[in-house]
Amino acid sequence: SRRLSRRPAVTLLDVFQLHARRRPRQPLLRFQDEIYTYEDMDRRSNRAAWALSRRLGLQSGRTVAVFLPNEPTYVWTWLALAKLGCPMACLNCNVRGRALRHALEAAQATLVLASPGERGTAG
């Protein structure tokens, strides 16, 4: 509760960055046969943030809908968006049709990020 009452509040990104500085080689995530360290995730999220801002022109405050399966890409995408100051609308990658269209409309996202395997139709 003390952390939440701090101004500015401590965020999950703050905690991640603290761990990445203090123990960069410590495992953060295991996915199938791969292990990702804090350093791995920090580097990948920095690259993603750079690409989103420089190549796609994404600016702080813009909402991004994320339509990705449960895999490491999801984590570094979330971190990248947090680093850019962009709210993330999490879309269930199993949703299709009318429910997907509703979720996209409700998110009012500037951009939708999806993996090539997510070809759900919104209409």
Side-chain angles (χ1 to χ4, degrees):
S1 109
R2 276 191 345 200
R3 285 187 181 188
L4 292 177
S5 65
R6 284 188 193 165
R7 296 290 177 240
V10 175
T11 65
L12 287 174
L13 178 60
D14 295 331
V15 173
F16 168 80
Q17 289 176 322
L18 177 66
H19 285 291
R21 279 192 306 274
R22 288 186 177 169
R23 42 183 91 86
R25 298 199 195 322
Q26 182 177 358
L28 171 65
L29 179 68
R30 176 182 291 242
F31 182 74
Q32 297 174 350
D33 293 335
E34 300 224 23
I35 295 174
Y36 297 87
T37 65
Y38 281 92
E39 182 177 53
D40 295 331
M41 285 297 186
D42 196 34
R43 278 193 197 137
R44 289 171 191 251
S45 65
N46 286 342
R47 276 187 257 150
W50 183 89
L52 290 167
S53 67
R54 301 286 186 223
R55 295 201 176 179
L56 298 179
L58 187 61
Q59 298 172 357
S60 180
R62 300 285 177 98
T63 300
V64 177
V66 177
F67 191 59
L68 296 171
N70 187 14
E71 58 186 39
T73 305
Y74 189 94
V75 178
W76 69 70
T77 298
W78 174 82
L79 288 167
L81 292 172
K83 289 176 179 183
L84 292 173
C86 295
M88 180 169 127
C90 306
L91 302 180
N92 183 331
C93 67
N94 295 309
V95 173
R96 300 288 188 266
R98 188 177 294 155
L100 177 58
R101 183 177 21 181
H102 173 74
L104 286 167
E105 289 170 1
Q108 297 180 339
T110 303
L111 177 69
V112 177
L113 296 177
S115 69
E118 301 307 320
R119 300 179 191 266
T121 58

